Amino acid sequence: MTGRRATTTLWRPTGPAELDLVKESGWRAWPPRLPEQPIFYPVLDEGYAVTIAREWNVRFDGAGYVTRFEVESDFLTRYPVRQAGGRTILELWVPAEELDLFNAHLVGPIRLVHEFHDST
């Protein structure tokens, strides 16, 4: 037995402001939600994250990013998978007040895997 924890890979589409806060954490934590953001939404499909980053974050923020990170699988069972559309449009809904606890169960760093910018 190695003691290595089973993990689940999640993705997060994000804009520049949130990405800057992730960088400030040393790529180790998601920042607290703003008052108008009661839920933190990591997604289970990379393609879905890319679509959000390209179509929403670029449009509203001028840039969109996709991050990938690992979370302890046992811990994630507390958050049911939510289908927000088609079969690959899957999210976890983490209440804002549980984000510190969620961050405590990250395994390894948050990694930037895709970057998109407004071409106009």
mmCIF file of all heavy atoms in Angstrom, residues 4-39:
data_model
loop_
_atom_site.group_PDB
_atom_site.id
_atom_site.type_symbol
_atom_site.label_atom_id
_atom_site.label_comp_id
_atom_site.label_asym_id
_atom_site.label_seq_id
_atom_site.Cartn_x
_atom_site.Cartn_y
_atom_site.Cartn_z
ATOM 1 N N ARG A 4 -1.015 6.638 -1.555
ATOM 2 C CA ARG A 4 -1.432 7.633 -2.540
ATOM 3 C C ARG A 4 -2.951 7.690 -2.597
ATOM 4 O O ARG A 4 -3.623 6.670 -2.692
ATOM 5 C CB ARG A 4 -0.866 7.268 -3.906
ATOM 6 C CG ARG A 4 -1.204 8.318 -4.918
ATOM 7 C CD ARG A 4 -0.662 7.954 -6.268
ATOM 8 N NE ARG A 4 -1.390 8.727 -7.238
ATOM 9 C CZ ARG A 4 -0.858 9.377 -8.229
ATOM 10 N NH1 ARG A 4 0.419 9.303 -8.418
ATOM 11 N NH2 ARG A 4 -1.597 10.070 -9.047
ATOM 12 N N ARG A 5 -3.492 8.889 -2.537
ATOM 13 C CA ARG A 5 -4.935 9.081 -2.570
ATOM 14 C C ARG A 5 -5.462 9.023 -4.000
ATOM 15 O O ARG A 5 -4.834 9.558 -4.912
ATOM 16 C CB ARG A 5 -5.285 10.438 -1.974
ATOM 17 C CG ARG A 5 -4.878 10.575 -0.520
ATOM 18 C CD ARG A 5 -4.951 12.008 -0.102
ATOM 19 N NE ARG A 5 -3.777 12.679 -0.684
ATOM 20 C CZ ARG A 5 -3.416 13.910 -0.434
ATOM 21 N NH1 ARG A 5 -4.127 14.648 0.362
ATOM 22 N NH2 ARG A 5 -2.348 14.433 -0.983
ATOM 23 N N ALA A 6 -6.613 8.395 -4.190
ATOM 24 C CA ALA A 6 -7.267 8.416 -5.493
ATOM 25 C C ALA A 6 -7.772 9.832 -5.738
ATOM 26 O O ALA A 6 -8.317 10.481 -4.839
ATOM 27 C CB ALA A 6 -8.422 7.427 -5.523
ATOM 28 N N THR A 7 -7.572 10.307 -6.961
ATOM 29 C CA THR A 7 -7.997 11.660 -7.298
ATOM 30 C C THR A 7 -8.899 11.647 -8.522
ATOM 31 O O THR A 7 -8.914 10.701 -9.303
ATOM 32 C CB THR A 7 -6.796 12.585 -7.578
ATOM 33 O OG1 THR A 7 -6.066 12.084 -8.701
ATOM 34 C CG2 THR A 7 -5.880 12.691 -6.365
ATOM 35 N N THR A 8 -9.632 12.731 -8.662
ATOM 36 C CA THR A 8 -10.484 12.977 -9.821
ATOM 37 C C THR A 8 -9.980 14.253 -10.483
ATOM 38 O O THR A 8 -9.714 15.247 -9.801
ATOM 39 C CB THR A 8 -11.952 13.154 -9.387
ATOM 40 O OG1 THR A 8 -12.391 11.940 -8.771
ATOM 41 C CG2 THR A 8 -12.851 13.482 -10.566
ATOM 42 N N THR A 9 -9.867 14.226 -11.796
ATOM 43 C CA THR A 9 -9.452 15.407 -12.547
ATOM 44 C C THR A 9 -10.667 16.272 -12.827
ATOM 45 O O THR A 9 -11.701 15.785 -13.295
ATOM 46 C CB THR A 9 -8.799 15.002 -13.884
ATOM 47 O OG1 THR A 9 -7.674 14.155 -13.612
ATOM 48 C CG2 THR A 9 -8.339 16.221 -14.666
ATOM 49 N N LEU A 10 -10.529 17.556 -12.533
ATOM 50 C CA LEU A 10 -11.570 18.543 -12.819
ATOM 51 C C LEU A 10 -10.954 19.669 -13.638
ATOM 52 O O LEU A 10 -9.730 19.862 -13.633
ATOM 53 C CB LEU A 10 -12.150 19.108 -11.526
ATOM 54 C CG LEU A 10 -12.860 18.111 -10.609
ATOM 55 C CD1 LEU A 10 -13.244 18.784 -9.301
ATOM 56 C CD2 LEU A 10 -14.082 17.524 -11.294
ATOM 57 N N TRP A 11 -11.813 20.419 -14.312
ATOM 58 C CA TRP A 11 -11.387 21.583 -15.083
ATOM 59 C C TRP A 11 -12.190 22.781 -14.623
ATOM 60 O O TRP A 11 -13.302 22.653 -14.129
ATOM 61 C CB TRP A 11 -11.640 21.353 -16.573
ATOM 62 C CG TRP A 11 -10.699 20.383 -17.175
ATOM 63 C CD1 TRP A 11 -9.504 20.659 -17.805
ATOM 64 C CD2 TRP A 11 -10.836 18.958 -17.217
ATOM 65 N NE1 TRP A 11 -8.911 19.494 -18.219
ATOM 66 C CE2 TRP A 11 -9.701 18.426 -17.877
ATOM 67 C CE3 TRP A 11 -11.801 18.066 -16.753
ATOM 68 C CZ2 TRP A 11 -9.515 17.089 -18.085
ATOM 69 C CZ3 TRP A 11 -11.621 16.714 -16.956
ATOM 70 C CH2 TRP A 11 -10.490 16.235 -17.620
ATOM 71 N N ARG A 12 -11.604 23.957 -14.820
ATOM 72 C CA ARG A 12 -12.290 25.199 -14.462
ATOM 73 C C ARG A 12 -12.015 26.227 -15.549
ATOM 74 O O ARG A 12 -10.876 26.637 -15.743
ATOM 75 C CB ARG A 12 -11.776 25.704 -13.109
ATOM 76 C CG ARG A 12 -12.228 27.098 -12.736
ATOM 77 C CD ARG A 12 -13.581 27.124 -12.123
ATOM 78 N NE ARG A 12 -13.904 28.503 -11.732
ATOM 79 C CZ ARG A 12 -15.118 28.935 -11.546
ATOM 80 N NH1 ARG A 12 -16.134 28.124 -11.694
ATOM 81 N NH2 ARG A 12 -15.344 30.179 -11.202
ATOM 82 N N PRO A 13 -13.058 26.651 -16.291
ATOM 83 C CA PRO A 13 -12.892 27.786 -17.191
ATOM 84 C C PRO A 13 -12.905 29.056 -16.345
ATOM 85 O O PRO A 13 -13.686 29.173 -15.405
ATOM 86 C CB PRO A 13 -14.108 27.691 -18.100
ATOM 87 C CG PRO A 13 -15.135 26.945 -17.301
ATOM 88 C CD PRO A 13 -14.393 26.069 -16.343
ATOM 89 N N THR A 14 -12.034 29.987 -16.670
ATOM 90 C CA THR A 14 -11.928 31.178 -15.837
ATOM 91 C C THR A 14 -11.457 32.375 -16.655
ATOM 92 O O THR A 14 -10.903 32.224 -17.736
ATOM 93 C CB THR A 14 -10.977 30.901 -14.647
ATOM 94 O OG1 THR A 14 -11.013 32.012 -13.761
ATOM 95 C CG2 THR A 14 -9.559 30.643 -15.087
ATOM 96 N N GLY A 15 -11.685 33.542 -16.095
ATOM 97 C CA GLY A 15 -11.219 34.779 -16.716
ATOM 98 C C GLY A 15 -9.922 35.244 -16.078
ATOM 99 O O GLY A 15 -9.396 34.618 -15.149
ATOM 100 N N PRO A 16 -9.388 36.357 -16.559
ATOM 101 C CA PRO A 16 -8.102 36.848 -16.082
ATOM 102 C C PRO A 16 -8.061 37.202 -14.594
ATOM 103 O O PRO A 16 -7.063 36.920 -13.919
ATOM 104 C CB PRO A 16 -7.844 38.099 -16.922
ATOM 105 C CG PRO A 16 -8.805 38.044 -18.053
ATOM 106 C CD PRO A 16 -9.925 37.156 -17.653
ATOM 107 N N ALA A 17 -9.112 37.793 -14.060
ATOM 108 C CA ALA A 17 -9.085 38.211 -12.647
ATOM 109 C C ALA A 17 -8.985 37.006 -11.721
ATOM 110 O O ALA A 17 -8.164 36.995 -10.785
ATOM 111 C CB ALA A 17 -10.328 39.041 -12.316
ATOM 112 N N GLU A 18 -9.801 35.977 -11.963
ATOM 113 C CA GLU A 18 -9.733 34.788 -11.116
ATOM 114 C C GLU A 18 -8.396 34.080 -11.301
ATOM 115 O O GLU A 18 -7.790 33.622 -10.326
ATOM 116 C CB GLU A 18 -10.887 33.835 -11.424
ATOM 117 C CG GLU A 18 -10.902 32.631 -10.487
ATOM 118 C CD GLU A 18 -12.090 31.723 -10.692
ATOM 119 O OE1 GLU A 18 -12.224 31.146 -11.797
ATOM 120 O OE2 GLU A 18 -12.893 31.591 -9.748
ATOM 121 N N LEU A 19 -7.903 34.013 -12.530
ATOM 122 C CA LEU A 19 -6.614 33.355 -12.772
ATOM 123 C C LEU A 19 -5.489 34.072 -12.021
ATOM 124 O O LEU A 19 -4.609 33.422 -11.450
ATOM 125 C CB LEU A 19 -6.308 33.280 -14.261
ATOM 126 C CG LEU A 19 -5.078 32.435 -14.588
ATOM 127 C CD1 LEU A 19 -5.330 30.965 -14.283
ATOM 128 C CD2 LEU A 19 -4.680 32.613 -16.056
ATOM 129 N N ASP A 20 -5.517 35.408 -11.988
ATOM 130 C CA ASP A 20 -4.501 36.151 -11.227
ATOM 131 C C ASP A 20 -4.521 35.759 -9.750
ATOM 132 O O ASP A 20 -3.463 35.619 -9.121
ATOM 133 C CB ASP A 20 -4.704 37.662 -11.370
ATOM 134 C CG ASP A 20 -4.276 38.195 -12.732
ATOM 135 O OD1 ASP A 20 -3.571 37.474 -13.476
ATOM 136 O OD2 ASP A 20 -4.675 39.332 -13.056
ATOM 137 N N LEU A 21 -5.707 35.572 -9.185
ATOM 138 C CA LEU A 21 -5.813 35.182 -7.773
ATOM 139 C C LEU A 21 -5.311 33.752 -7.552
ATOM 140 O O LEU A 21 -4.696 33.462 -6.517
ATOM 141 C CB LEU A 21 -7.250 35.336 -7.290
ATOM 142 C CG LEU A 21 -7.766 36.781 -7.259
ATOM 143 C CD1 LEU A 21 -9.260 36.810 -6.972
ATOM 144 C CD2 LEU A 21 -6.999 37.613 -6.241
ATOM 145 N N VAL A 22 -5.540 32.879 -8.516
ATOM 146 C CA VAL A 22 -5.007 31.511 -8.419
ATOM 147 C C VAL A 22 -3.467 31.565 -8.442
ATOM 148 O O VAL A 22 -2.808 30.891 -7.646
ATOM 149 C CB VAL A 22 -5.564 30.611 -9.546
ATOM 150 C CG1 VAL A 22 -4.829 29.272 -9.598
ATOM 151 C CG2 VAL A 22 -7.056 30.395 -9.352
ATOM 152 N N LYS A 23 -2.919 32.383 -9.342
ATOM 153 C CA LYS A 23 -1.447 32.550 -9.400
ATOM 154 C C LYS A 23 -0.914 33.046 -8.059
ATOM 155 O O LYS A 23 0.111 32.559 -7.571
ATOM 156 C CB LYS A 23 -1.062 33.548 -10.488
ATOM 157 C CG LYS A 23 -1.205 33.039 -11.888
ATOM 158 C CD LYS A 23 -0.825 34.156 -12.874
ATOM 159 C CE LYS A 23 -1.180 33.814 -14.284
ATOM 160 N NZ LYS A 23 -0.920 34.935 -15.221
ATOM 161 N N GLU A 24 -1.606 34.042 -7.471
ATOM 162 C CA GLU A 24 -1.182 34.598 -6.177
ATOM 163 C C GLU A 24 -1.165 33.537 -5.083
ATOM 164 O O GLU A 24 -0.405 33.648 -4.121
ATOM 165 C CB GLU A 24 -2.082 35.761 -5.764
ATOM 166 C CG GLU A 24 -1.855 37.017 -6.563
ATOM 167 C CD GLU A 24 -2.831 38.124 -6.184
ATOM 168 O OE1 GLU A 24 -3.449 38.062 -5.095
ATOM 169 O OE2 GLU A 24 -2.982 39.059 -7.002
ATOM 170 N N SER A 25 -1.992 32.508 -5.217
ATOM 171 C CA SER A 25 -2.024 31.427 -4.217
ATOM 172 C C SER A 25 -0.892 30.428 -4.428
ATOM 173 O O SER A 25 -0.795 29.453 -3.683
ATOM 174 C CB SER A 25 -3.368 30.682 -4.281
ATOM 175 O OG SER A 25 -3.377 29.754 -5.369
ATOM 176 N N GLY A 26 -0.068 30.662 -5.441
ATOM 177 C CA GLY A 26 0.962 29.693 -5.775
ATOM 178 C C GLY A 26 0.397 28.503 -6.531
ATOM 179 O O GLY A 26 0.960 27.418 -6.504
ATOM 180 N N TRP A 27 -0.754 28.715 -7.202
ATOM 181 C CA TRP A 27 -1.442 27.663 -7.954
ATOM 182 C C TRP A 27 -1.958 26.569 -7.032
ATOM 183 O O TRP A 27 -2.068 25.412 -7.408
ATOM 184 C CB TRP A 27 -0.548 27.074 -9.053
ATOM 185 C CG TRP A 27 -0.121 28.097 -10.055
ATOM 186 C CD1 TRP A 27 1.046 28.807 -10.038
ATOM 187 C CD2 TRP A 27 -0.846 28.550 -11.199
ATOM 188 N NE1 TRP A 27 1.090 29.675 -11.111
ATOM 189 C CE2 TRP A 27 -0.060 29.535 -11.840
ATOM 190 C CE3 TRP A 27 -2.084 28.223 -11.743
ATOM 191 C CZ2 TRP A 27 -0.480 30.182 -12.990
ATOM 192 C CZ3 TRP A 27 -2.481 28.877 -12.910
ATOM 193 C CH2 TRP A 27 -1.692 29.836 -13.515
ATOM 194 N N ARG A 28 -2.316 26.944 -5.797
ATOM 195 C CA ARG A 28 -2.732 25.955 -4.794
ATOM 196 C C ARG A 28 -4.161 26.104 -4.296
ATOM 197 O O ARG A 28 -4.630 25.268 -3.534
ATOM 198 C CB ARG A 28 -1.795 26.022 -3.579
ATOM 199 C CG ARG A 28 -0.380 25.650 -3.873
ATOM 200 C CD ARG A 28 -0.273 24.185 -4.066
ATOM 201 N NE ARG A 28 1.091 23.797 -4.411
ATOM 202 C CZ ARG A 28 1.417 22.584 -4.764
ATOM 203 N NH1 ARG A 28 0.509 21.639 -4.826
ATOM 204 N NH2 ARG A 28 2.644 22.293 -5.077
ATOM 205 N N ALA A 29 -4.886 27.168 -4.712
ATOM 206 C CA ALA A 29 -6.227 27.380 -4.152
ATOM 207 C C ALA A 29 -7.068 28.246 -5.073
ATOM 208 O O ALA A 29 -6.549 29.109 -5.791
ATOM 209 C CB ALA A 29 -6.125 28.041 -2.783
ATOM 210 N N TRP A 30 -8.369 28.007 -4.987
ATOM 211 C CA TRP A 30 -9.343 28.846 -5.665
ATOM 212 C C TRP A 30 -9.711 29.986 -4.736
ATOM 213 O O TRP A 30 -9.863 29.784 -3.532
ATOM 214 C CB TRP A 30 -10.578 28.027 -6.051
ATOM 215 C CG TRP A 30 -10.209 27.045 -7.109
ATOM 216 C CD1 TRP A 30 -9.971 25.716 -6.951
ATOM 217 C CD2 TRP A 30 -9.944 27.350 -8.465
ATOM 218 N NE1 TRP A 30 -9.581 25.173 -8.149
ATOM 219 C CE2 TRP A 30 -9.557 26.153 -9.101
ATOM 220 C CE3 TRP A 30 -10.001 28.515 -9.226
ATOM 221 C CZ2 TRP A 30 -9.226 26.093 -10.444
ATOM 222 C CZ3 TRP A 30 -9.687 28.450 -10.575
ATOM 223 C CH2 TRP A 30 -9.298 27.252 -11.168
ATOM 224 N N PRO A 31 -9.847 31.204 -5.273
ATOM 225 C CA PRO A 31 -10.156 32.347 -4.408
ATOM 226 C C PRO A 31 -11.589 32.313 -3.900
ATOM 227 O O PRO A 31 -12.456 31.670 -4.507
ATOM 228 C CB PRO A 31 -9.935 33.549 -5.337
ATOM 229 C CG PRO A 31 -10.176 33.025 -6.711
ATOM 230 C CD PRO A 31 -9.707 31.578 -6.681
ATOM 231 N N PRO A 32 -11.852 33.020 -2.814
ATOM 232 C CA PRO A 32 -13.230 33.109 -2.302
ATOM 233 C C PRO A 32 -14.159 33.651 -3.381
ATOM 234 O O PRO A 32 -13.760 34.447 -4.233
ATOM 235 C CB PRO A 32 -13.124 34.091 -1.134
ATOM 236 C CG PRO A 32 -11.678 34.112 -0.768
ATOM 237 C CD PRO A 32 -10.916 33.811 -2.030
ATOM 238 N N ARG A 33 -15.397 33.223 -3.316
ATOM 239 C CA ARG A 33 -16.412 33.700 -4.256
ATOM 240 C C ARG A 33 -16.825 35.123 -3.887
ATOM 241 O O ARG A 33 -16.790 35.513 -2.721
ATOM 242 C CB ARG A 33 -17.661 32.810 -4.214
ATOM 243 C CG ARG A 33 -17.420 31.345 -4.489
ATOM 244 C CD ARG A 33 -17.025 31.004 -5.932
ATOM 245 N NE ARG A 33 -15.592 31.227 -6.114
ATOM 246 C CZ ARG A 33 -15.006 31.412 -7.287
ATOM 247 N NH1 ARG A 33 -15.685 31.436 -8.377
ATOM 248 N NH2 ARG A 33 -13.715 31.598 -7.359
ATOM 249 N N LEU A 34 -17.235 35.861 -4.883
ATOM 250 C CA LEU A 34 -17.805 37.183 -4.653
ATOM 251 C C LEU A 34 -19.231 37.009 -4.139
ATOM 252 O O LEU A 34 -19.832 35.940 -4.306
ATOM 253 C CB LEU A 34 -17.802 37.978 -5.962
ATOM 254 C CG LEU A 34 -16.420 38.222 -6.574
ATOM 255 C CD1 LEU A 34 -16.558 38.844 -7.964
ATOM 256 C CD2 LEU A 34 -15.564 39.073 -5.661
ATOM 257 N N PRO A 35 -19.814 38.030 -3.512
ATOM 258 C CA PRO A 35 -21.172 37.895 -2.978
ATOM 259 C C PRO A 35 -22.194 37.403 -4.013
ATOM 260 O O PRO A 35 -23.121 36.673 -3.679
ATOM 261 C CB PRO A 35 -21.511 39.301 -2.491
ATOM 262 C CG PRO A 35 -20.188 39.912 -2.186
ATOM 263 C CD PRO A 35 -19.228 39.333 -3.199
ATOM 264 N N GLU A 36 -22.019 37.803 -5.273
ATOM 265 C CA GLU A 36 -22.963 37.368 -6.310
ATOM 266 C C GLU A 36 -22.622 35.992 -6.893
ATOM 267 O O GLU A 36 -23.243 35.550 -7.856
ATOM 268 C CB GLU A 36 -23.051 38.417 -7.430
ATOM 269 C CG GLU A 36 -21.794 38.597 -8.241
ATOM 270 C CD GLU A 36 -20.787 39.604 -7.653
ATOM 271 O OE1 GLU A 36 -20.949 40.057 -6.516
ATOM 272 O OE2 GLU A 36 -19.821 39.920 -8.354
ATOM 273 N N GLN A 37 -21.641 35.303 -6.292
ATOM 274 C CA GLN A 37 -21.220 33.977 -6.752
ATOM 275 C C GLN A 37 -21.381 32.956 -5.613
ATOM 276 O O GLN A 37 -20.409 32.580 -4.975
ATOM 277 C CB GLN A 37 -19.758 33.994 -7.194
ATOM 278 C CG GLN A 37 -19.454 34.933 -8.332
ATOM 279 C CD GLN A 37 -17.958 35.060 -8.566
ATOM 280 O OE1 GLN A 37 -17.161 35.077 -7.638
ATOM 281 N NE2 GLN A 37 -17.582 35.151 -9.825
ATOM 282 N N PRO A 38 -22.586 32.482 -5.372
ATOM 283 C CA PRO A 38 -22.794 31.571 -4.238
ATOM 284 C C PRO A 38 -22.289 30.148 -4.474
ATOM 285 O O PRO A 38 -22.198 29.362 -3.538
ATOM 286 C CB PRO A 38 -24.308 31.571 -4.062
ATOM 287 C CG PRO A 38 -24.826 31.852 -5.438
ATOM 288 C CD PRO A 38 -23.826 32.807 -6.058
ATOM 289 N N ILE A 39 -21.940 29.834 -5.717
ATOM 290 C CA ILE A 39 -21.523 28.480 -6.061
ATOM 291 C C ILE A 39 -20.216 28.535 -6.856
ATOM 292 O O ILE A 39 -20.045 29.401 -7.721
ATOM 293 C CB ILE A 39 -22.598 27.759 -6.922
ATOM 294 C CG1 ILE A 39 -23.952 27.736 -6.228
ATOM 295 C CG2 ILE A 39 -22.147 26.353 -7.325
ATOM 296 C CD1 ILE A 39 -24.049 26.817 -5.045
#
